[in-house]
Amino acid sequence: MNAKAKFLANELRDELFAAAEWKSVVSGRWLREGVPQLAHRVARTKSAIGKWGDDVINHSLNMVPVMDLKENDVCN
């Protein structure tokens, strides 16, 4: 990932975290309590990408902030 793409990814991540008021959409706990990450609502699998395309699967509307990998699994 080049520097511009990385910057845009971090900017999108911060926007999604702020939109969720810096809380996990799964537990409602503050993101700073865990290892925050973005989870795909529709999992990023080969079949999902084949069906809807990479742009839909990686769209910001398909991503939600969660505290950790355990919560990420709940979203899938």
Side-chain angles (χ1 to χ4, degrees), residues 46-59:
K46 225 178 199 181
S47 62
I49 292 170
K51 186 174 184 178
W52 290 293
D54 202 46
D55 290 342
V56 171
I57 297 300
N58 289 318
H59 194 277

Side-chain angles (χ1 to χ4, degrees), residues 6-46:
K6 195 171 192 174
F7 173 78
L8 292 174
N10 287 336
E11 189 174 278
L12 172 63
R13 181 175 180 238
D14 288 345
E15 286 177 18
L16 292 172
F17 286 174
E21 299 178 352
W22 294 90
K23 293 182 181 179
S24 165
V25 298
V26 173
S27 65
R29 293 172 38 202
W30 292 104
L31 292 173
R32 67 177 168 259
E33 294 175 15
V35 182
Q37 53 189 272
L38 291 174
H40 288 83
R41 293 175 194 247
V42 176
R44 190 179 194 298
T45 62
K46 225 178 199 181

